[in-house]
Amino acid sequence: MADCQGPQEKMRKMEIKNFTIKEVHQSLIKKEFSVIELCRAFLARVESEDKKINAFLTITRDLAFSQAKKIDALILEGKELPVLAGIPCAIKDIILVEGVRCTAGSKILGNYIAPYDATVIKKLKAAGAIILGKTNLDEFAMGSSTENSAFGPTRNPHDLTRVPGGSSGGSAAAVAANECIFALGSDTGGSIRLPASFCGLVGLKPTYGAVSRYGLIAFASSLDQIGPLAKTVEDARIVFEAISGQDEMDSTSINSKFQIPNSKQILNSKFQIRNLKIGVPKEYFVKGIDPEVEKIIKDAIKKYEEMGVKIEEISLPHIEYALPCYYIIATAEASANLARFDGIKYGHSEIRNPKSEIRNLLDVYLQSREQGFGAEVRRRIMLGTYVLSAGYYDAYYLRAQKVRVLLKNDFAEAFKKVDVILTPVSPIPAFKIGEKIDDPLKMYLSDIFTVSVNLAGLPAISIPAGKVGNLPVGFQIIGRPFEENKILEIGKIFEQF
Ligand code: GLN
């Protein structure tokens, strides 16, 4: 008799690995198990799995249980609750959660306690989500593998010898290892989509301005966006809806709720599969792409075709300049944003090191930054300072800004002909830990298919498409600004096919 089963048994029967937001919501409402029991089960899983994965940098047990208690009480009262109420999640450790350490994966912020909640956290808390902890990342989100973390690499749950992608690798690995139901990441040049692809998840990089960046430690402010990593398109949509919207604390945020038609509106109006046109840029299928990855992406395109979607070859003529353009703009902005970590205002300071030889203020800055930042972050600060310096500004930074406009125009032209654009996320599946860490240029090439989206400020989603051996591979759907719901729907159609 079902009613005689204990909550543990019910949870085991449901299998944590298949949990989606809606299912868990239903079970909580039906009181099949409590939020506290759910939290216990997930934290036990973190304890057993994370020794090998290293997805989490901080576990917020007390925060989780106090929130869980509140939601359980509301459920008992029979209150109608948002679908995220009681859902365990994890947060990339570059997003501030009040009273919780926020390291940005860096030694320089090793002991930094966040003084306030980021807007996305306020929204998640208000929706009743349960924050289990903070996840590992490449230092200040600079990287594609999560190996640039000051706290050791995260391992890909599908193959522990491989990277989970980066920089939101901890968030992706936590979801893929079923240590939480969804996670937040940030994406400046691919950091949500690449780990989603490598870990077999759905990852959404929203339109620039759709989600507030208030309380996100800045890497490159004109490119950064926060977004969800989840197991299904529907889960990603639920989280995106909860975190998006205008915020007076981020002047670049836009009232997207008015602009983003919801799924029903899309399905009822012009969005019909037979009228849909997917553009495939010819520049994305040339050299350097792994043949097995290429096959998976081409098979995905074929599936859409079989469903009745029109596929059209398009051209993004300036796309070959996207990567160099990104690495000029992103490093320039990073060098300015990271100037605030000076050994005085925040975190690590060599003043407190009795062995350091500090004679003056400049020594404090230089030595704290040298000790506090890792090699990749120092490299980018130097690159960024160089491209902004007098005499080089016009040749590098200004030129990159002009190329950025050309890229935006390429996309705008393409979107006159097609509804969305489909590309690979990465030319290769997850690579081995250590394989690229000594060669920054090779590492930067992992982002070749993703950075243009950030430069143009567009929304894009990574959808699981298949596997090379046991390694997941995703494809990317890029949409017009604020057409998140359209790319989500198109992803869902593939997921359900
Ligand atoms: N891998 C890219 C970089 O290293 C993108 C990082 C990101 O999106 N945060 O800059």
Side-chain angles (χ1 to χ4, degrees):
M1 243 164 64
D3 286 343
C4 299
Q5 287 178 349
Q8 294 302 333
E9 225 165 301
K10 278 185 187 146
M11 255 185 270
R12 215 171 300 129
K13 241 180 142 188
M14 274 183 74
E15 284 203 274
I16 268 189
K17 73 175 189 324
N18 298 327
F19 275 0
T20 63
I21 294 174
K22 271 206 178 141
E23 273 169 15
V24 173
H25 178 72
Q26 289 305 326
S27 297
L28 289 172
I29 300 296
K30 285 193 227 143
K31 303 191 184 63
E32 286 173 3
F33 45 77
S34 69
V35 183
I36 295 263
E37 282 155 353
L38 184 68
C39 266
R40 272 200 204 115
F42 272 98
L43 285 168
R45 187 140 177 105
V46 172
E47 210 155 279
S48 69
E49 293 304 293
D50 217 49
K51 284 184 206 91
K52 46 181 200 265
I53 310 263
N54 195 30
F56 281 87
L57 295 180
T58 305
I59 310 287
T60 51
R61 188 178 292 272
D62 293 347
L63 179 67
F65 280 122
S66 75
Q67 174 91 329
K69 255 190 224 152
K70 273 190 228 154
I71 306 296
D72 273 339
L74 294 173
I75 292 173
L76 280 181
E77 283 173 33
K79 285 253 159 61
E80 203 177 306
L81 291 172
V83 63
L84 280 178
I87 306 296
C89 68
I91 309 294
K92 185 178 186 180
D93 203 22
I94 197 162
I95 299 170
L96 306 186
V97 178
E98 188 182 340
V100 176
R101 181 173 82 133
C102 190
T103 67
S106 182
K107 188 177 154 193
I108 211 160
L109 288 178
N111 299 314
Y112 175 67
I113 305 296
Y116 59 90
D117 275 335
T119 298
V120 290
I121 299 302
K122 269 202 193 118
K123 290 186 170 208
L124 284 186
K125 283 184 177 172
I130 310 289
I131 297 170
L132 297 181
K134 306 291 299 290
T135 53
N136 203 7
L137 67 157
D138 287 297
E139 187 174 2
F140 287 101
M142 297 175 191
S144 310
S145 67
T146 317
E147 292 166 289
N148 291 337
S149 167
F151 306 99
T154 295
R155 293 172 183 275
N156 190 320
H158 295 270
D159 177 346
L160 296 176
T161 66
R162 291 178 188 263
V163 304
S167 63
S168 314
S171 287
V175 179
N178 304 300
E179 295 173 73
C180 58
I181 296 184
F182 73 90
L184 291 188
S186 67
D187 191 313
T188 307
S191 281
I192 290 175
R193 289 159 287 156
L194 186 71
S197 175
F198 282 8
C199 292
L201 302 174
V202 175
L204 173 69
K205 186 288 224 197
T207 310
Y208 186 76
V211 176
S212 168
R213 291 177 293 112
Y214 182 64
L216 166 70
I217 297 175
F219 161 11
S221 309
S222 77
L223 303 162
D224 299 339
Q225 268 296 287
I226 297 171
L229 288 130
K231 278 182 279 186
T232 64
V233 173
E234 178 62 9
D235 281 4
R237 189 192 61 74
I238 291 170
V239 179
F240 170 66
E241 225 158 65
I243 62 171
S244 59
Q246 191 167 28
D247 176 17
E248 62 177 16
M249 302 307 281
D250 174 2
S251 58
T252 64
S253 71
I254 287 169
N255 195 352
S256 52
K257 288 264 181 331
F258 282 114
Q259 306 197 25
I260 305 176
N262 65 34
S263 314
K264 269 202 203 107
Q265 282 165 334
I266 288 177
L267 286 174
N268 291 341
S269 65
K270 60 183 176 133
F271 180 80
Q272 285 202 338
I273 216 152
R274 284 185 188 282
N275 297 333
L276 189 69
K277 258 195 212 159
I278 295 185
V280 178
K282 59 173 189 244
E283 292 85 0
Y284 277 69
F285 292 92
V286 274
K287 51 184 183 246
I289 177 162
D290 177 298
E292 287 184 84
V293 171
E294 184 168 354
K295 186 173 177 323
I296 290 173
I297 307 300
K298 292 215 159 133
D299 285 350
I301 296 170
K302 239 183 252 156
K303 267 195 193 171
Y304 277 115
E305 226 169 1
E306 284 166 28
M307 289 183 242
V309 175
K310 290 183 200 69
I311 307 289
E312 199 169 298
E313 188 182 84
I314 56 158
S315 173
L316 300 168
H318 298 95
I319 206 78
E320 63 174 303
Y321 306 112
L323 201 61
C325 175
Y326 169 83
Y327 272 97
I328 289 171
I329 292 174
T331 55
E333 292 185 18
S335 73
N337 274 327
L338 270 58
R340 75 193 67 179
F341 304 107
D342 57 5
I344 293 183
K345 292 199 228 37
Y346 297 95
H348 180 85
S349 178
E350 281 297 300
I351 299 178
R352 290 187 217 107
N353 178 3
K355 288 195 202 115
S356 69
E357 284 175 25
I358 287 181
R359 290 152 305 179
N360 53 36
L361 186 60
L362 190 63
D363 281 347
V364 177
Y365 294 161
L366 294 178
Q367 291 181 29
S368 301
R369 286 165 72 82
E370 190 181 327
Q371 295 303 318
F373 288 137
E376 181 61 27
V377 173
R378 292 206 303 274
R379 179 180 300 123
R380 298 211 188 186
I381 291 172
M382 283 189 273
L383 262 172
T385 308
Y386 178 74
V387 300
L388 287 175
S389 58
Y392 293 101
Y393 182 94
D394 287 359
Y396 294 107
Y397 185 70
L398 197 62
R399 204 166 229 203
Q401 290 293 9
K402 289 180 182 166
V403 172
R404 185 175 187 175
V405 175
L406 294 177
L407 280 161
K408 265 193 190 161
N409 293 345
D410 279 2
F411 278 107
E413 276 306 307
F415 283 128
K416 284 183 190 158
K417 296 188 209 112
V418 295
D419 296 283
V420 297
I421 296 172
L422 192 153
T423 77
V425 175
S426 157
I428 46 165
F431 46 89
K432 292 260 183 202
I433 291 177
E435 196 181 317
K436 293 182 197 285
I437 196 70
D438 297 324
D439 188 341
L441 282 181
K442 257 196 198 157
M443 189 71 91
Y444 298 170
L445 277 171
S446 322
D447 310 317
I448 190 141
F449 298 143
T450 48
V451 295
S452 53
V453 165
N454 302 70
L455 289 167
L458 302 170
I461 192 168
S462 174
I463 302 282
K467 282 187 170 181
V468 173
N470 57 345
L471 303 175
V473 170
F475 65 88
Q476 171 172 245
I477 305 174
I478 307 167
R480 296 187 188 117
F482 299 104
E483 292 200 341
E484 274 81 357
N485 275 318
K486 192 187 262 182
I487 57 175
L488 285 160
E489 271 319 306
I490 296 170
K492 201 168 173 182
I493 293 169
F494 182 86
E495 190 180 68
Q496 290 169 347
F497 186 73

